[in-house]
């Protein structure tokens, strides 16, 4: 059990910096970019991660910053620190990783939410929950507005993540109503960019790694299913905009890029940008894989004055360059 350090107990805010902020899952893909952004904005950041999918190399360049603190901890256990804001991003987010230990995935979403909400209640901290477009399941409404309640299979192989995040949203709004905790909930749609894991099973990283290594590109189903891809820099700006919004803005609010692409279109674009000879191979569609996914971001535009600015091709070029560099390091 992690106890408060003397440093944390003696003061809540750095005398020369902004707020003291906790980022759970801070060494992960999104978390590491968020930690960077918050430090750049003048805040003191506690990065918490159990390194199940997070990687120290994602935040190693931040370790010398005196206003950055790394803490190895699992959110399924209570945490005692003094903070003013909490960004709860802790949870494996790709099917390969969250299905590897589905019980732990559910515990991370549910117990993690309870522990972080309890911390927020005690410290009177504002708290953000990284929810997901997966709460909509295989949607019957397109695009998906926040009012849509979803079509989720509660006993399928993806349910550990889908229902875990739905339960976390329930807990956030119950703490808001019952304990007056200051909450923010964002439903994050497909996001991509540097620091994605090469083996996470997500379509962008899969396609890029296969193309760069000369493998055939694997498409599940007929490739006509759609996704909307948001570059990580845009997404982080949206998360911070939601956290900075007035306290009357709780969410849930969709954050994602509303421009929709089929898997075939994505594969063809990556083949073009990598100049690969890779061919397309087709495999059966996994159970409960959504056929369509596109956010209605009307609320984000109106309330947060936020919308993505990075186009797919621009974001893919940066992501391809990142993976190309990483793969070259791994080659003897």
């Amino acid at each position: 059990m992690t106890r408060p350090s003397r440093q944390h107990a003696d003061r809540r805010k750095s005398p020369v910096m902004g707020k003291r902020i906790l980022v759970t899952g801070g060494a992960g893909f999104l978390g590491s970019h968020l930690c960077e952004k918050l430090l750049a904005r003048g805040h003191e950041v506690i990065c918490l991660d159990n390194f199940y999918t997070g990687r120290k190399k994602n935040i190693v360049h931040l370790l010398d910053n005196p206003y950055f603190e790394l803490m190895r901890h699992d959110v399924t256990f209570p945490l005692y620190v003094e903070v003013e804001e909490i960004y709860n991003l802790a949870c494996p987010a790709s099917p390969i990783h969250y299905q590897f230990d589905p019980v732990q995935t559910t515990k991370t979403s549910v117990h993690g939410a309870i522990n972080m909400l309890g911390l927020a209640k005690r410290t009177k901290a504002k708290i953000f929950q990284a929810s997901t477009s997966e709460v909509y399941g295989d949607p019957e409404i397109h695009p998906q507005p926040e009012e849509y309640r979803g079509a989720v299979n509660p006993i399928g192989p993806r349910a550990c993540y889908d229902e875990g995040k739905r339960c976390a949203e329930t807990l956030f709004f119950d703490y808001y109503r019952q304990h007056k905790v200051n909450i923010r909930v964002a439903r994050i749609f497909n996001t991509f960019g540097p620091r994605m894991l090469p083996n996470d099973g997500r379509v962008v990283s899969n396609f890029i790694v296969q193309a760069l290594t000369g493998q055939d590109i694997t498409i599940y189903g007929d490739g006509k299913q759609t996704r909307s891809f948001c570059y990580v820099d845009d997404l982080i700006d949206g998360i911070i905009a939601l956290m900075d919004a007035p306290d009357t803005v709780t969410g849930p609010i969709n954050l994602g890029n509303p421009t929709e692409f089929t898997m075939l279109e994505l594969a063809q674009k990556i083949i073009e940008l990598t100049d690969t000879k890779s061919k397309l191979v087709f495999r059966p569609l996994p159970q409960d894989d959504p056929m369509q996914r596109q956010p209605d971001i009307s609320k984000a535009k109106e309330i947060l004055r936020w919308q993505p600015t990075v186009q797919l091709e621009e974001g893919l070029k940066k992501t391809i360059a990142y993976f190309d560099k990483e793969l070259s390091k791994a080659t003897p």
Side-chain angles (χ1 to χ4, degrees):
M1 183 176 292
T2 306
R3 295 292 181 184
S5 67
R6 179 178 298 277
Q7 177 189 25
H8 290 159
D10 288 346
R11 58 188 177 88
R12 287 189 58 185
K13 185 184 289 188
S14 165
V16 295
M17 298 291 282
K19 299 171 184 174
R20 177 178 288 119
I21 299 174
L22 172 67
V23 179
T24 74
F29 164 46
L30 295 182
S32 61
H33 285 279
L34 177 61
C35 287
E36 276 184 340
K37 190 80 169 187
L38 293 173
L39 287 168
R41 285 166 61 101
H43 299 300
E44 185 175 345
V45 175
I46 302 173
C47 168
L48 183 144
D49 210 297
N50 68 351
F51 294 100
Y52 178 66
T53 57
R55 294 291 182 269
K56 186 172 280 190
K57 71 177 184 179
N58 289 341
I59 45 84
V60 69
H61 60 294
L62 303 177
L63 293 177
D64 290 335
N65 189 319
Y67 300 106
F68 179 80
E69 180 178 350
L70 175 61
M71 184 180 296
R72 184 184 289 267
H73 184 84
D74 190 319
V75 293
T76 62
F77 296 94
L79 178 70
Y80 301 93
V81 293
E82 303 302 318
V83 291
E84 294 156 273
E85 290 185 355
I86 302 166
Y87 289 82
N88 187 34
L89 277 64
C91 191
S94 70
I96 284 178
H97 292 134
Y98 67 63
Q99 291 175 1
F100 178 76
D101 190 346
V103 172
Q104 185 62 27
T105 296
T106 303
K107 289 172 68 176
T108 300
S109 288
V110 177
H111 292 190
I114 291 170
N115 287 329
M116 292 304 104
L117 285 162
L119 177 62
K121 177 186 172 187
R122 181 181 69 79
T123 61
K124 295 181 171 54
K126 186 191 306 183
I127 181 168
F128 169 90
Q129 168 64 10
S131 191
T132 171
S133 61
E134 297 293 337
V135 300
Y136 297 124
D138 191 1
E140 298 157 333
I141 294 177
H142 191 75
Q144 294 81 56
E146 290 85 352
E147 292 75 19
Y148 177 53
R149 297 182 182 180
V152 175
N153 177 1
I155 59 171
R158 301 170 69 101
C160 58
Y161 185 69
D162 301 0
E163 295 289 25
K165 290 289 191 177
R166 286 164 69 95
C167 185
E169 286 196 17
T170 299
L171 286 162
F172 265 69
F173 279 90
D174 283 340
Y175 267 77
Y176 167 70
R177 287 184 287 259
Q178 186 173 342
H179 300 299
K180 312 304 179 189
V181 173
N182 189 347
I183 68 166
R184 303 287 192 279
V185 176
R187 291 175 178 164
I188 297 171
F189 283 68
N190 293 66
T191 305
F192 72 101
R195 299 186 199 146
M196 296 180 79
L197 292 173
N199 62 342
D200 67 3
R202 301 190 210 193
V203 64
V204 172
S205 51
N206 268 5
F207 286 3
I208 290 175
V209 170
Q210 287 173 336
L212 289 174
T213 55
Q215 303 175 61
D216 290 336
I217 293 179
T218 306
I219 292 182
Y220 294 96
D222 60 8
K224 294 180 182 177
Q225 65 271 36
T226 67
R227 295 293 184 272
S228 305
F229 301 102
C230 185
Y231 189 64
V232 61
D233 290 354
D234 282 334
L235 190 279
I236 297 303
D237 287 343
I239 288 173
I240 293 174
L242 176 54
M243 198 64 147
D244 288 345
D247 290 349
T248 53
V249 180
T250 59
I253 287 184
N254 290 336
L255 294 178
N257 194 318
T259 306
E260 192 176 13
F261 295 90
T262 68
M263 297 302 94
L264 285 172
E265 289 172 330
L266 176 67
Q268 289 159 358
K269 177 58 68 175
I270 289 173
I271 287 172
E272 173 192 329
L273 293 175
T274 56
D275 193 26
T276 182
K277 304 297 185 185
S278 299
K279 296 180 173 59
L280 304 182
V281 295
F282 295 83
R283 298 285 184 266
L285 194 66
Q287 182 181 342
D288 299 330
D289 193 55
M291 290 304 297
Q292 290 182 306
R293 189 59 64 70
Q294 180 188 20
D296 179 338
I297 62 168
S298 302
K299 285 188 177 180
K301 287 180 178 179
E302 179 184 352
I303 298 171
L304 307 181
R305 300 290 188 264
W306 173 88
Q307 62 181 331
T309 60
V310 179
Q311 299 302 312
L312 179 65
E313 182 167 333
E314 179 187 351
L316 285 176
K317 287 178 179 178
K318 294 179 180 179
T319 310
I320 289 167
Y322 167 80
F323 276 114
D324 194 28
K325 184 177 179 181
E326 290 297 302
L327 290 169
S328 67
K329 291 179 186 176
T331 303

